[in-house]
């Protein structure tokens, strides 16, 4: 399943900075716009996987997963 997220980006004093609107804590900076977008994608992927692992660990073995569409 593919998800779509929104990168909010801007240039500030020679650096590109950005964050993912829908996921708190996912933010990066880079010297180029392309570099920023690559970094944001990688950081978002890592954050989502970490959140999944933590949620599954907290829920325990008897928990069920249910996909939600919003």
């Amino acid at each position: 399943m593919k998800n779509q997220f929104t990168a909010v980006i801007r240039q500030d004093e020679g650096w590109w900075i950005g964050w993912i609107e829908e996921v708190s804590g996912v933010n990066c900076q880079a010297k180029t716009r392309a570099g920023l977008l690559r970094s944001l994608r990688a950081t978002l992927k890592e954050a989502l996987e970490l959140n999944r692992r933590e949620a599954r660990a907290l829920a325990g073995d008897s928990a069920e997963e249910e996909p939600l569409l919003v």
Side-chain angles (χ1 to χ4, degrees):
M1 174 172 49
K2 292 260 184 187
N3 294 308
Q4 181 172 313
F5 297 91
T6 308
V8 178
I9 64 173
R10 67 183 172 99
Q11 197 169 21
D12 186 27
E13 296 183 18
W15 286 89
W16 283 89
I17 59 173
W19 52 97
I20 300 298
E21 194 173 86
E22 297 86 358
V23 182
S24 178
V26 177
N27 52 69
C28 301
Q29 70 179 32
K31 279 292 193 183
T32 66
R33 185 180 191 277
L36 172 66
L37 294 175
R38 277 192 305 274
S39 189
L40 282 169
R41 282 185 190 97
T43 303
L44 174 60
K45 185 177 177 181
E46 290 172 10
L48 292 173
E49 186 54 39
L50 176 63
N51 288 349
R52 283 185 191 102
R53 283 196 310 264
E54 287 181 349
R56 289 175 180 149
L58 288 170
D61 294 333
S62 63
E64 297 179 26
E65 294 184 9
E66 182 67 33
L68 297 176
L69 299 176
V70 294

